[in-house]
Amino acid sequence: MIAGLFIISLGIFVLGVLLPLAGTWQDRRIFRAGSHLCTIAGSILLGALSLFLFLTGNDIAWTAYQPVAGFSLSFVIDRLSAFFLLLISVVSICVALYAAEYNEHLEGGLRRNLLSGCTNLFILSMVLVVASANTFSFLVFWELMAGCSFLLVMYDYSRATTRKAGLFYFVMTHLSTLFVLLGIVLLFSSTGSFVLAPAGVSPVSAIAFVALLIGFSIKAGIIPFHKWLPYAHPASPTPISALMSSVMLKIAVYGLLRFLLDVFSPDVWWGILILIMGTTTAVLGIIYALKEYDIKAMLAYSSIENTGIIFMGIGLYVIFSSYQLFDLALISLLSALFHTLNHAIFKSLLFLTAGSVVHATHTRDIEQMGGLIHRMPYTAGLFFVGALAIAALPPLNGFASEVLLFISFFSSIAVADPLFKVLLFLCLGLFALTSALSAACFVKAFGSVFLALPRSPESGRAEEVPFLMLLGPALLASACIVLGLFAAQIFFIAGFTVPMPDMFLVGLLLLAMLVLTFAVLFFTASRDVRVTDTWGCGTLSQQPAMEYSGHGFSEPIDIIFSTVYRTKMKNERTFFDQKNCIFAEGKAEIRLIKVFEEYLYLPVARASYATAETVSRFQSGCLDTYLLYVFCAVIAVIVFLGWLA
């Protein structure tokens, strides 16, 4: 019965793929609306089923297709996969509501039908990856997910920036598949089976773990494999950016957890490696987010940061498990999973509201925005909730999951080895720095986008988006509040006892303090009214150019982290006199080097291109040369066979 409901939900997603394709040659909204309804219906059914399986702890398993022995497309849903299926369902419902209106404003005509169909196929592929029962099924649907996401990134292929982003993403996502394939092949050579079962402790399993870790890290955007995110997210339509950042990155997290929990017997150095990768990614991700002025690229770097936080929780889980500290290991694992859910919620909220802003202003540059809180008040309020959540301010869900990770770090005193304690406290300090920088980043984002005066004519003419483009984000904003206020109760219902404060009481306390502060100010403040103009540096009226810009806000941080950014400052001045006393004019410039792209990716690309050019010379097109190749190959085979004999 339960398996049948799952198959029905898959069928609804398939219908959502086929329905807009049936009307490929007709640019009619009804086909796309039907596709979005299928997304919502399939997600609701899948979400209800997943929630039931997660709360009850029941498992379902079946084999859909087995062409030959040992190779089968099999599925299983346990508590871990049910959790991730629930995550996919919740985000997909809200994104589909938003896309039903947003997609109608896109350019492309008939391509919007393909966009709706491919979106359903993308969601379906992620569902099938999570539900896969063996590594063969996992790899098949992993590649399907990669192909669908590439097509969606390339929606606006006429733009040069989109083609560059698509090429970058294509190479990186298939590099991810290559490493995942290598890890699966090594496991098969060790166990002789594609079943997700314990592989034992051996050098082969350690190499397989490293290969899988690299493959999942590329897909998750772990530094230094992160560069595809700031390209792919801005190039994609907003609903796709939301799905990729909030859901697809989490599929990589699921893959890593599935293999760690079911296949490998992790050693302590595995956890140290994951923890260091996560900490580095979290710190550098938010540092790079602070320098961005493209709002979608900024959110992409923020996704990198939050994925790093999730990896920190996974690394702590492995370390504590190796030390037989199972209570601490459980807290670390729960913090990673809870932050996975929370990040999916508030990052999709931020991407959707950012997409509404871009739709209204026709720019992604936050320096060309401003004053939108008066023209888009509902969007501003929803973005504000997401900003509070991602900045980990109480009592929202971002704070709830990060405080659980802080508790796990503070409890690391139980680790006996002093060197590990030093490492853990160093990571704790960097985690605290990450949280502070995240708050600064979204103060800059909200202030630059929504406050002060409009800095462009488009921002001055912006209008609030339609209802459906508010409904999806509103549901996500409500989830941010509920998951934050009732975090302790949610863990209790799920069957876990965690040492975290009751966030509902914290919320009531904060509300009481707010009301008390307002009351004191209301009854004690002076009633005298003074109307005056803000000082405008001698001008008669305020101008947008006088505002404190995003560049001005982040410049001190750019200077502090100049060794990370590799900041180059250029200052040219000319003077009227030969003594350089009377200033005439000047030009100042701050250039931030793309460190990983210029010093890692481009050298590898150039070396690959040079190697390809060298190999291509062998294909000279000369028949005599080809005959020489054949003759040398025959001689080599004869010598090899003679040596074997």
Side-chain angles (χ1 to χ4, degrees), residues 136-171:
F136 177 74
S137 302
F138 185 92
L139 185 62
V140 169
F141 297 119
W142 180 272
E143 183 62 15
L144 177 63
M145 178 182 69
C148 293
S149 56
F150 169 71
L151 293 176
L152 292 168
V153 168
M154 289 294 292
Y155 174 78
D156 194 7
Y157 62 87
S158 60
R159 297 185 179 183
T161 53
T162 301
R163 294 194 295 271
K164 179 181 179 180
L167 179 61
F168 214 129
Y169 178 67
F170 182 83
V171 172

Short mmCIF file of all heavy atoms in Angstrom, two decimals, residues 136-171:
data_model
loop_
_atom_site.label_atom_id
_atom_site.label_comp_id
_atom_site.label_asym_id
_atom_site.label_seq_id
_atom_site.Cartn_x
_atom_site.Cartn_y
_atom_site.Cartn_z
N PHE A 136 24.21 0.94 -8.07
CA PHE A 136 23.91 1.01 -9.50
C PHE A 136 22.76 1.98 -9.75
O PHE A 136 22.85 2.86 -10.61
CB PHE A 136 23.58 -0.39 -10.03
CG PHE A 136 23.19 -0.41 -11.47
CD1 PHE A 136 24.14 -0.23 -12.47
CD2 PHE A 136 21.86 -0.59 -11.85
CE1 PHE A 136 23.78 -0.24 -13.81
CE2 PHE A 136 21.49 -0.60 -13.18
CZ PHE A 136 22.45 -0.42 -14.17
N SER A 137 21.67 1.82 -9.02
CA SER A 137 20.53 2.75 -9.16
C SER A 137 20.96 4.17 -8.80
O SER A 137 20.58 5.14 -9.47
CB SER A 137 19.38 2.31 -8.25
OG SER A 137 18.95 1.01 -8.54
N PHE A 138 21.74 4.29 -7.73
CA PHE A 138 22.20 5.60 -7.29
C PHE A 138 22.95 6.32 -8.41
O PHE A 138 22.70 7.50 -8.68
CB PHE A 138 23.10 5.43 -6.06
CG PHE A 138 23.56 6.70 -5.43
CD1 PHE A 138 22.84 7.28 -4.40
CD2 PHE A 138 24.72 7.34 -5.86
CE1 PHE A 138 23.26 8.47 -3.80
CE2 PHE A 138 25.15 8.52 -5.28
CZ PHE A 138 24.41 9.09 -4.25
N LEU A 139 23.85 5.61 -9.08
CA LEU A 139 24.66 6.22 -10.13
C LEU A 139 23.83 6.60 -11.34
O LEU A 139 24.01 7.67 -11.94
CB LEU A 139 25.79 5.28 -10.54
CG LEU A 139 26.80 5.83 -11.55
CD1 LEU A 139 27.53 7.03 -10.97
CD2 LEU A 139 27.79 4.75 -11.95
N VAL A 140 22.87 5.74 -11.73
CA VAL A 140 22.01 6.02 -12.89
C VAL A 140 21.22 7.30 -12.68
O VAL A 140 21.21 8.20 -13.53
CB VAL A 140 21.06 4.83 -13.15
CG1 VAL A 140 19.99 5.22 -14.17
CG2 VAL A 140 21.84 3.62 -13.65
N PHE A 141 20.58 7.42 -11.53
CA PHE A 141 19.74 8.60 -11.28
C PHE A 141 20.58 9.83 -10.91
O PHE A 141 20.13 10.96 -11.12
CB PHE A 141 18.70 8.27 -10.21
CG PHE A 141 17.76 7.19 -10.62
CD1 PHE A 141 17.68 6.00 -9.91
CD2 PHE A 141 16.97 7.34 -11.75
CE1 PHE A 141 16.82 4.99 -10.30
CE2 PHE A 141 16.11 6.33 -12.16
CZ PHE A 141 16.03 5.16 -11.43
N TRP A 142 21.77 9.60 -10.39
CA TRP A 142 22.69 10.72 -10.14
C TRP A 142 23.05 11.39 -11.47
O TRP A 142 23.07 12.62 -11.58
CB TRP A 142 23.94 10.19 -9.44
CG TRP A 142 24.98 11.23 -9.12
CD1 TRP A 142 25.99 11.65 -9.93
CD2 TRP A 142 25.11 11.97 -7.90
NE1 TRP A 142 26.75 12.60 -9.29
CE2 TRP A 142 26.23 12.81 -8.05
CE3 TRP A 142 24.40 11.99 -6.70
CZ2 TRP A 142 26.67 13.67 -7.04
CZ3 TRP A 142 24.83 12.85 -5.69
CH2 TRP A 142 25.95 13.67 -5.86
N GLU A 143 23.33 10.59 -12.48
CA GLU A 143 23.66 11.14 -13.80
C GLU A 143 22.44 11.80 -14.44
O GLU A 143 22.56 12.82 -15.11
CB GLU A 143 24.21 10.03 -14.71
CG GLU A 143 24.66 10.50 -16.07
CD GLU A 143 25.79 11.50 -16.03
OE1 GLU A 143 26.45 11.64 -14.98
OE2 GLU A 143 26.02 12.17 -17.06
N LEU A 144 21.25 11.22 -14.23
CA LEU A 144 20.03 11.86 -14.73
C LEU A 144 19.84 13.23 -14.08
O LEU A 144 19.47 14.20 -14.76
CB LEU A 144 18.82 10.97 -14.44
CG LEU A 144 17.45 11.53 -14.84
CD1 LEU A 144 17.37 11.75 -16.34
CD2 LEU A 144 16.33 10.60 -14.36
N MET A 145 20.09 13.33 -12.80
CA MET A 145 20.00 14.61 -12.09
C MET A 145 21.00 15.61 -12.66
O MET A 145 20.66 16.80 -12.86
CB MET A 145 20.25 14.39 -10.59
CG MET A 145 20.23 15.64 -9.75
SD MET A 145 20.58 15.31 -8.00
CE MET A 145 22.32 14.86 -8.08
N ALA A 146 22.20 15.16 -12.96
CA ALA A 146 23.22 16.05 -13.51
C ALA A 146 22.80 16.57 -14.89
O ALA A 146 22.94 17.76 -15.19
CB ALA A 146 24.56 15.33 -13.61
N GLY A 147 22.26 15.68 -15.73
CA GLY A 147 21.83 16.11 -17.06
C GLY A 147 20.68 17.09 -17.03
O GLY A 147 20.67 18.09 -17.75
N CYS A 148 19.69 16.83 -16.18
CA CYS A 148 18.53 17.73 -16.07
C CYS A 148 18.95 19.10 -15.57
O CYS A 148 18.51 20.14 -16.11
CB CYS A 148 17.50 17.14 -15.12
SG CYS A 148 16.71 15.64 -15.70
N SER A 149 19.80 19.13 -14.56
CA SER A 149 20.22 20.42 -14.01
C SER A 149 21.01 21.21 -15.03
O SER A 149 20.89 22.45 -15.10
CB SER A 149 21.03 20.21 -12.73
OG SER A 149 22.14 19.35 -12.97
N PHE A 150 21.80 20.54 -15.87
CA PHE A 150 22.55 21.25 -16.91
C PHE A 150 21.60 21.90 -17.91
O PHE A 150 21.77 23.07 -18.30
CB PHE A 150 23.49 20.29 -17.63
CG PHE A 150 24.09 20.86 -18.89
CD1 PHE A 150 25.05 21.85 -18.83
CD2 PHE A 150 23.68 20.40 -20.14
CE1 PHE A 150 25.60 22.38 -19.99
CE2 PHE A 150 24.21 20.93 -21.30
CZ PHE A 150 25.18 21.92 -21.22
N LEU A 151 20.57 21.18 -18.34
CA LEU A 151 19.59 21.75 -19.28
C LEU A 151 18.89 22.96 -18.67
O LEU A 151 18.61 23.95 -19.36
CB LEU A 151 18.57 20.69 -19.68
CG LEU A 151 19.11 19.52 -20.51
CD1 LEU A 151 18.00 18.49 -20.76
CD2 LEU A 151 19.67 20.00 -21.84
N LEU A 152 18.59 22.89 -17.38
CA LEU A 152 17.90 24.00 -16.72
C LEU A 152 18.81 25.22 -16.57
O LEU A 152 18.35 26.36 -16.71
CB LEU A 152 17.39 23.55 -15.36
CG LEU A 152 16.27 22.50 -15.41
CD1 LEU A 152 16.02 21.90 -14.04
CD2 LEU A 152 14.99 23.10 -15.96
N VAL A 153 20.09 24.99 -16.29
CA VAL A 153 21.04 26.10 -16.22
C VAL A 153 21.14 26.81 -17.57
O VAL A 153 21.26 28.04 -17.65
CB VAL A 153 22.42 25.61 -15.76
CG1 VAL A 153 23.49 26.68 -15.95
CG2 VAL A 153 22.38 25.18 -14.30
N MET A 154 21.04 26.04 -18.66
CA MET A 154 21.21 26.58 -20.00
C MET A 154 19.91 27.13 -20.58
O MET A 154 19.82 27.32 -21.80
CB MET A 154 21.76 25.48 -20.92
CG MET A 154 23.20 25.11 -20.65
SD MET A 154 24.35 26.45 -21.00
CE MET A 154 24.20 26.55 -22.77
N TYR A 155 18.91 27.41 -19.76
CA TYR A 155 17.63 27.88 -20.29
C TYR A 155 17.81 29.12 -21.18
O TYR A 155 17.33 29.17 -22.31
CB TYR A 155 16.68 28.21 -19.13
CG TYR A 155 15.39 28.84 -19.59
CD1 TYR A 155 14.37 28.06 -20.14
CD2 TYR A 155 15.19 30.22 -19.50
CE1 TYR A 155 13.19 28.63 -20.58
CE2 TYR A 155 14.01 30.79 -19.94
CZ TYR A 155 13.02 30.00 -20.48
OH TYR A 155 11.85 30.57 -20.93
N ASP A 156 18.52 30.11 -20.69
CA ASP A 156 18.73 31.34 -21.46
C ASP A 156 20.07 31.24 -22.19
O ASP A 156 20.98 32.03 -21.97
CB ASP A 156 18.69 32.55 -20.53
CG ASP A 156 18.56 33.86 -21.29
OD1 ASP A 156 18.36 33.83 -22.51
OD2 ASP A 156 18.64 34.93 -20.64
N TYR A 157 20.18 30.27 -23.10
CA TYR A 157 21.46 29.94 -23.73
C TYR A 157 21.95 31.02 -24.69
O TYR A 157 23.11 30.99 -25.12
CB TYR A 157 21.35 28.61 -24.48
CG TYR A 157 20.34 28.62 -25.61
CD1 TYR A 157 20.68 29.05 -26.88
CD2 TYR A 157 19.04 28.20 -25.39
CE1 TYR A 157 19.76 29.06 -27.91
CE2 TYR A 157 18.10 28.21 -26.41
CZ TYR A 157 18.47 28.64 -27.67
OH TYR A 157 17.54 28.65 -28.68
N SER A 158 21.11 31.97 -25.07
CA SER A 158 21.53 33.01 -26.02
C SER A 158 22.54 33.96 -25.41
O SER A 158 23.26 34.66 -26.14
CB SER A 158 20.31 33.78 -26.52
OG SER A 158 19.63 34.41 -25.44
N ARG A 159 22.62 34.03 -24.08
CA ARG A 159 23.57 34.93 -23.43
C ARG A 159 24.92 34.26 -23.26
O ARG A 159 25.01 33.08 -22.90
CB ARG A 159 23.03 35.36 -22.06
CG ARG A 159 21.74 36.16 -22.13
CD ARG A 159 21.34 36.65 -20.75
NE ARG A 159 20.12 37.43 -20.79
CZ ARG A 159 19.57 38.02 -19.74
NH1 ARG A 159 20.15 37.88 -18.54
NH2 ARG A 159 18.46 38.72 -19.86
N ALA A 160 25.97 35.04 -23.50
CA ALA A 160 27.33 34.50 -23.37
C ALA A 160 27.64 34.07 -21.94
O ALA A 160 28.30 33.05 -21.72
CB ALA A 160 28.35 35.55 -23.83
N THR A 161 27.13 34.83 -20.96
CA THR A 161 27.38 34.47 -19.56
C THR A 161 26.71 33.14 -19.21
O THR A 161 27.27 32.35 -18.44
CB THR A 161 26.85 35.57 -18.63
OG1 THR A 161 25.47 35.84 -18.94
CG2 THR A 161 27.65 36.85 -18.80
N THR A 162 25.55 32.87 -19.79
CA THR A 162 24.87 31.61 -19.53
C THR A 162 25.64 30.45 -20.15
O THR A 162 25.77 29.38 -19.54
CB THR A 162 23.44 31.64 -20.09
OG1 THR A 162 22.72 32.72 -19.47
CG2 THR A 162 22.72 30.33 -19.82
N ARG A 163 26.15 30.64 -21.36
CA ARG A 163 26.93 29.57 -22.00
C ARG A 163 28.20 29.27 -21.21
O ARG A 163 28.59 28.10 -21.07
CB ARG A 163 27.26 29.96 -23.44
CG ARG A 163 26.03 30.05 -24.34
CD ARG A 163 26.44 30.10 -25.80
NE ARG A 163 27.19 31.30 -26.13
CZ ARG A 163 26.64 32.44 -26.53
NH1 ARG A 163 25.32 32.53 -26.63
NH2 ARG A 163 27.39 33.48 -26.82
N LYS A 164 28.84 30.32 -20.69
CA LYS A 164 30.04 30.10 -19.87
C LYS A 164 29.68 29.35 -18.59
O LYS A 164 30.38 28.40 -18.19
CB LYS A 164 30.69 31.43 -19.53
CG LYS A 164 31.92 31.30 -18.65
CD LYS A 164 32.53 32.65 -18.32
CE LYS A 164 33.75 32.49 -17.41
NZ LYS A 164 34.38 33.79 -17.08
N ALA A 165 28.58 29.77 -17.95
CA ALA A 165 28.14 29.09 -16.73
C ALA A 165 27.78 27.64 -17.01
O ALA A 165 28.11 26.74 -16.22
CB ALA A 165 26.95 29.82 -16.13
N GLY A 166 27.09 27.40 -18.14
CA GLY A 166 26.71 26.04 -18.49
C GLY A 166 27.91 25.15 -18.74
O GLY A 166 27.94 23.99 -18.31
N LEU A 167 28.90 25.68 -19.45
CA LEU A 167 30.11 24.89 -19.71
C LEU A 167 30.84 24.58 -18.42
O LEU A 167 31.29 23.45 -18.19
CB LEU A 167 31.03 25.67 -20.66
CG LEU A 167 32.36 24.99 -21.01
CD1 LEU A 167 32.11 23.66 -21.71
CD2 LEU A 167 33.21 25.90 -21.90
N PHE A 168 30.95 25.58 -17.54
CA PHE A 168 31.61 25.39 -16.25
C PHE A 168 30.87 24.32 -15.45
O PHE A 168 31.49 23.40 -14.88
CB PHE A 168 31.61 26.71 -15.47
CG PHE A 168 32.83 26.90 -14.62
CD1 PHE A 168 33.58 28.07 -14.69
CD2 PHE A 168 33.23 25.94 -13.72
CE1 PHE A 168 34.69 28.26 -13.90
CE2 PHE A 168 34.34 26.12 -12.91
CZ PHE A 168 35.07 27.29 -13.01
N TYR A 169 29.56 24.43 -15.40
CA TYR A 169 28.77 23.48 -14.63
C TYR A 169 28.84 22.09 -15.24
O TYR A 169 28.93 21.08 -14.51
CB TYR A 169 27.31 23.95 -14.55
CG TYR A 169 26.42 22.98 -13.81
CD1 TYR A 169 26.59 22.77 -12.44
CD2 TYR A 169 25.44 22.25 -14.46
CE1 TYR A 169 25.80 21.88 -11.76
CE2 TYR A 169 24.64 21.36 -13.79
CZ TYR A 169 24.83 21.17 -12.43
OH TYR A 169 24.04 20.27 -11.76
N PHE A 170 28.81 21.99 -16.56
CA PHE A 170 28.86 20.69 -17.23
C PHE A 170 30.14 19.94 -16.88
O PHE A 170 30.12 18.74 -16.56
CB PHE A 170 28.76 20.89 -18.75
CG PHE A 170 28.75 19.62 -19.54
CD1 PHE A 170 27.58 18.91 -19.72
CD2 PHE A 170 29.93 19.12 -20.10
CE1 PHE A 170 27.57 17.73 -20.44
CE2 PHE A 170 29.93 17.94 -20.82
CZ PHE A 170 28.75 17.24 -20.99
N VAL A 171 31.26 20.66 -16.93
CA VAL A 171 32.55 20.02 -16.62
C VAL A 171 32.59 19.58 -15.16
O VAL A 171 32.97 18.43 -14.85
CB VAL A 171 33.70 20.98 -16.93
CG1 VAL A 171 35.03 20.42 -16.43
CG2 VAL A 171 33.78 21.25 -18.43
#
